[in-house]
Amino acid sequence: MKSLVAIVLAVVTAIGLHAQGYIVPNGVYTNLFPGEIDVWNLGPQITGFMLEPWGRQAPAAFTNIFRFDEPITIGVRVFLVSPNDPISLRPTVANAHREFQFGETYVFQSGAPFYVGLYTGAGFAPPYPPNPPFFYLDPVFGWAKLVNNRGVIQEVDYAVAHQAQGIFAGTTTIIPEPSSATLAMLGILALAFRRLKKSFALTPPPA
């Protein structure tokens, strides 16, 4: 019975999950300003960040220390992530990924690509910066694959999703959300399973 319920739940969930949103063309771009990495943010403002060359940690042959900086715009929250990590509101709230902080330095070895998660939007929802946590209206989630190319951070690949629950790092796969019908069905199945379990508990064992 437990196996049957598990199979039904898996099938219903798979059917009911649906991806919303779309991938934004040219969602991450560089060279608008020297050294800046910009993210599409639904408005006329420029949303971007910079990893400025800051120094060299021996015995590295090239600059490998970079300082995180942002222009005075609506901003973008940037996180260190791994391929296939979910970039969405849930891990952001849970502090699941290390977030870049203004003015802090980070070490990236030359020739070693790394991934960053991106979170921005059309405007801020309270509480407002600089008092974290802060959240965006009409949010945009994305990622960028970057590399330290002999002392300069360069973009290798990226994907940005709008009107979506989020995106998986290193992919163009939008994080699906359950439909209302699926949630209702899951609730009914859970209630039925609970009652079935209770009935078995109340049934006396055979003599």
Side-chain angles (χ1 to χ4, degrees):
M1 180 61 69
K2 289 183 179 180
S3 299
L4 178 61
V5 171
I7 292 171
V8 172
L9 285 172
V11 171
V12 171
T13 302
I15 293 174
L17 290 175
H18 61 286
Q20 290 187 342
Y22 62 95
I23 299 298
V24 179
N26 302 317
V28 178
Y29 46 96
T30 57
N31 299 322
L32 185 62
F33 295 102
E36 185 174 343
I37 299 170
D38 296 295
V39 184
W40 184 79
N41 76 327
L42 311 175
Q45 292 179 308
I46 298 167
T47 295
F49 65 95
M50 301 177 70
L51 287 169
E52 302 174 305
W54 206 250
R56 182 170 63 87
Q57 186 183 73
F62 303 98
T63 296
N64 61 355
I65 302 176
F66 297 85
R67 180 180 181 272
F68 182 74
D69 194 7
E70 287 188 287
I72 303 176
T73 66
I74 204 166
V76 54
R77 296 178 67 176
V78 184
F79 309 86
L80 276 173
V81 298
S82 300
N84 297 313
D85 278 350
I87 313 299
S88 66
L89 193 57
R90 181 176 294 180
T92 299
V93 172
N95 296 316
H97 308 304
R98 181 185 178 188
E99 184 169 0
F100 286 75
Q101 302 296 330
F102 174 78
E104 289 192 0
T105 57
Y106 302 86
V107 176
F108 301 107
Q109 303 299 342
S110 180
F114 60 98
Y115 287 82
V116 295
L118 308 169
Y119 170 41
T120 184
F124 291 118
Y128 299 103
N131 302 309
F134 58 92
F135 306 99
Y136 291 102
L137 303 171
D138 201 4
V140 173
F141 296 100
W143 58 268
K145 182 180 180 181
L146 307 175
V147 67
N148 172 8
N149 185 8
R150 296 173 174 259
V152 178
I153 299 296
Q154 296 181 341
E155 171 196 305
V156 178
D157 197 6
Y158 67 85
V160 171
H162 178 220
Q163 297 181 347
Q165 295 295 303
I167 190 170
F168 291 100
T171 77
T172 55
T173 302
I174 293 175
I175 295 176
E177 64 176 12
S179 66
S180 57
T182 300
L183 291 175
M185 181 63 71
L186 289 176
I188 292 170
L189 286 172
L191 181 61
F193 178 71
R194 187 181 303 171
R195 289 180 175 176
L196 184 63
K197 185 177 180 181
K198 186 177 180 180
S199 67
F200 275 121
L202 294 176
T203 302

